[in-house]
Amino acid sequence: MNDAYQQMSLLYELSLSITKSDDPATTAGNFIRKLLSRKNLNYGAIWLLENQEEKYLTFRQLYSMPHFDHESRIRAGVYKEYFGHNRYGTGTYSLFESNERRGYYAYIKLGELGLIELYSRSHPDKLKPEVVYPMADVADQLALSIKSSLRYRRLQEEIAEREKAEQLLKAQEEKYHRIIENIRLGLIEVDNDNIILHANQSFLDLLGWSLPEILGKNAKELFLDDKAQKKMERQTQRRLEGKSGSYEIALTDKNGNEKWVVISGAPNYNKEGQRIGSIGIHLDISHQKRLAEEFAFKEAQLENFFGESLDALITIDKHGNILQWNPQAEKTFGFDREEVIGKALHETIIPHNYRSAHQKGMKNFFDTGEGPVLNNRIEITALDKSGREFPIELTVFHIKHAEEHFFTAFLRDISELKESRENMVKALEKQKELNTLKSQFISMTSHELRTPLTTIRTDVELVNYQLENMPELDRKRLRNNLSRIDTSADRLHQLINNILLIGQMDTHKVPFAPVDTDIEELLKKKILTQHPTIKYQVEGDPYRLDIDHKLFTHIMENLVQNAYKYSADRQEPELTLQFGEAGVKLMVKDHGIGIPERDQKRLFETFYRASNVGNVQGSGLGLAIVKEFVKLHGGFITFSSKESIGTIFTVHFPIKPVK
Ligand code: ATP
Ligand code: MG
């Protein structure tokens, strides 16, 4: 009775312990703890059947006290043997293999869920079937309770999972919504009649509308002009056929301005798969379009500039191959565009002797990044198709584009320019020369003409004075006066003569009339008689030459006069006439003041006089005339001189004058 009472109260307690929790592990825990404490058991566990295969059953531990394995496998046959007929079983050894615990076990079947495992080491009696049998009802109840809390837990898990999925979906929806609203692509949704259902902010910003202003309106009528509508119709047709695609079109914004976009359109379907409209994504390409237009304009401008340029324009790549060749280049170099495009520049317009320098220059640029030709205006020689070499003016620019090097040259034929420049320089020099001549002439005339004139006037006055005031004439003085007048008049005559001759020479109007002449005879008659003190000698076998007597006399007279003039009070000058194989040489040698070396170079220039002439009178015209007259005979004049020692002038007359 006592036992029965105890049994009753245990069952009652156990049933209490299993009704309270929704958590199967807590329920199992309450139950096992209560059972172990009341029955003095060493171990209790609840195993749930997790997997049922043909040979093995897998159990997962729901709760055990003390705590042991969580999972175990037993053979299906063993399980059947234990629980084939009974709701519970007892045994000496564990169904679940355990080496640590060897003692007495009882197993109670937990409905279809699994089983309760109980173990006692010290009181085998307590595990007799009578002990555990009355618990079968409680076990059923426990199974029910665990089952429902398992179901409850699964339900909760399912709910949590669904909630999670819903949240994820919502988050994703929000994400896409945000993307759509904030994306820099304009998005618009229309129905099958093009009625606007939605538009994102970018779309509204693009065209300047607000959402309420456009909702429910016809997208086509609102945003497209006639031209664009036609284009759009073709695209709509494609949408109707269920095709998506993208195309460029000009939309009209709220202010009537054109906005270029690329539209990517796609049909829109409802859940049932019916087409309910379409979605268009708009990429604003106004900026690109503007750039493209600007680029095209610049390109055209450049093309125009290239074609119309007065300079030849040539572009080459880094290998020196010709890429561009404008019409002016065709004119300048004679090569048609088609003939030279792709050819190496150095094989076309660079003269042969500059070709290697050109190639070296290119190489040097790529090695060092420097080139003296670049960005500077230079003058070089070019070659045209006909082989003519001519001067050009050239500027080369280096352009680097997309890692490629290009060189563009502006070239201009400057042959004419150069010629006229040279002519101008020449004319300028001539002008300068004339100016100096003029000023030299003025200073010379004022001095050289005035001196003899003054002398004449003074002597005339002195003669007059004598005639009027002297009772007796001093003949010697009178003769002196008259001789001075005569010399000065001579001097004036000679000077004026020389000036006239220089004038004639400048205009090439000197009369030249050579005749077959015995030079010795002419010399004696015209020179030696005037200058009897000169030491004269003849060398070689005499022969006759064609000579202009007047010019010859002028030549020799000047040279002999100079020899006397510039060697006053010294040894007499010498005159040698030499007949040679090539022609006649006439040498006038003096022992006078000589000609300083620094003056020798300019001696034959008109009006030029050496720095050592002192008071000796002269105009500096004599030698200039002599040189010209000798030249008219086909000959030439040389001299050698040493200051303070003397001078030799040699005139060469050729046998056969070369004209
Ligand atoms: P003119 O026109 O009267 O002959 P000029 O004798 O000075 O004047 P040139 O005969 O042309 O002129 O000679 C030019 C200059 O050469 C002279 O002024 C003089 O300085 C120098 N010269 C010419 N002959 C001699 C000479 N035999 N010895 C030294 N100097 C000379
Ligand atoms: Mg002279």
Side-chain angles (χ1 to χ4, degrees), residues 448 491 494-495 498 558-567 588-590 592-596 599 603-613 616-626 641 646-649:
E448 290 297 315
R491 172 87 197 127
Q494 203 186 342
L495 244 177
N498 278 351
N558 201 293
L559 293 179
V560 173
Q561 254 186 31
N562 279 354
Y564 276 100
K565 213 159 58 164
Y566 299 109
S567 54
V588 181
K589 181 179 179 184
D590 66 53
I593 59 171
I595 302 158
D599 295 317
L603 214 65
F604 292 100
E605 289 177 18
T606 41
F607 301 115
Y608 193 84
R609 304 198 66 205
S611 47
N612 62 339
V613 291
V616 183
Q617 284 194 348
S619 61
L621 291 175
L623 282 179
I625 296 166
V626 166
S641 180
T647 309
I648 309 175
F649 275 92

Side-chain angles (χ1 to χ4, degrees), residues 4 261 365 369:
V261 292
F365 171 76

Side-chain angles (χ1 to χ4, degrees), residues 125-305:
D125 292 354
K126 302 270 160 85
L127 291 174
K128 282 182 180 165
E130 313 76 272
V131 177
V132 290
Y133 174 70
M135 280 206 306
D137 289 341
V138 183
D140 280 347
Q141 214 184 327
L142 178 66
L144 254 173
S145 173
I146 287 178
K147 218 182 225 170
S148 74
S149 51
L150 275 176
R151 211 178 297 130
Y152 176 75
R153 196 165 74 177
R154 205 165 300 132
L155 199 70
Q156 271 191 328
E157 275 171 8
E158 264 172 32
I159 289 170
E161 234 162 70
R162 197 176 308 145
E163 251 173 30
K164 213 164 131 193
E166 265 167 21
Q167 262 169 11
L168 200 75
L169 203 69
K170 209 168 142 201
Q172 250 168 356
E173 226 168 64
E174 265 171 24
K175 189 168 118 190
Y176 287 124
H177 186 72
R178 262 205 313 277
I179 289 174
I180 284 172
E181 284 308 312
N182 296 326
I183 202 167
R184 296 190 55 166
L185 294 169
L187 185 138
I188 185 172
E189 196 180 338
V190 295
D191 69 10
N192 286 334
D193 297 321
N194 273 311
I195 299 302
I196 301 166
L197 302 176
H198 181 68
N200 74 349
Q201 197 53 47
S202 293
F203 185 86
L204 298 168
D205 291 346
L206 176 69
L207 298 181
W209 295 95
S210 73
L211 191 58
E213 283 176 316
I214 61 167
L215 281 183
K217 295 207 173 129
N218 187 305
K220 249 199 308 197
E221 287 164 13
L222 203 56
F223 307 133
L224 301 177
D225 62 13
D226 292 349
K227 203 173 127 199
Q229 279 196 24
K230 284 218 178 77
K231 189 167 185 182
M232 178 71 98
E233 263 159 32
R234 286 196 296 276
Q235 294 298 330
T236 312
Q237 193 50 43
R238 290 171 60 83
R239 289 303 86 67
L240 288 173
E241 289 162 13
K243 289 174 187 158
S244 39
S246 60
Y247 53 98
E248 270 182 28
I249 202 162
L251 301 183
T252 312
D253 75 1
K254 192 176 177 183
N255 300 320
N257 297 325
E258 212 175 51
K259 281 276 161 74
W260 275 94
V261 292
V262 171
I263 299 186
S264 183
N268 198 13
Y269 299 98
N270 67 4
K271 266 189 232 145
E272 286 72 42
Q274 291 158 325
R275 190 181 180 283
I276 51 165
S278 58
I279 292 177
I281 294 171
H282 301 66
L283 174 67
D284 183 359
I285 55 162
S286 303
H287 183 62
Q288 286 91 320
K289 204 84 183 167
R290 220 169 19 250
L291 281 184
E293 272 165 21
E294 263 170 41
F295 184 75
F297 177 68
K298 279 192 183 146
E299 186 102 316
Q301 244 183 348
L302 200 70
E303 194 71 20
N304 205 20
F305 164 73

Side-chain angles (χ1 to χ4, degrees), residues 475-503:
R475 287 178 180 277
K476 198 181 162 201
R477 272 179 79 176
L478 271 180
R479 218 175 285 124
N480 268 348
N481 290 138
L482 287 174
S483 141
R484 271 210 299 271
I485 290 172
D486 189 40
T487 316
S488 293
D490 252 12
R491 172 87 197 127
L492 273 176
H493 179 256
Q494 203 186 342
L495 244 177
I496 290 164
N497 220 14
N498 278 351
I499 290 168
L500 284 175
L501 279 173
I502 290 283

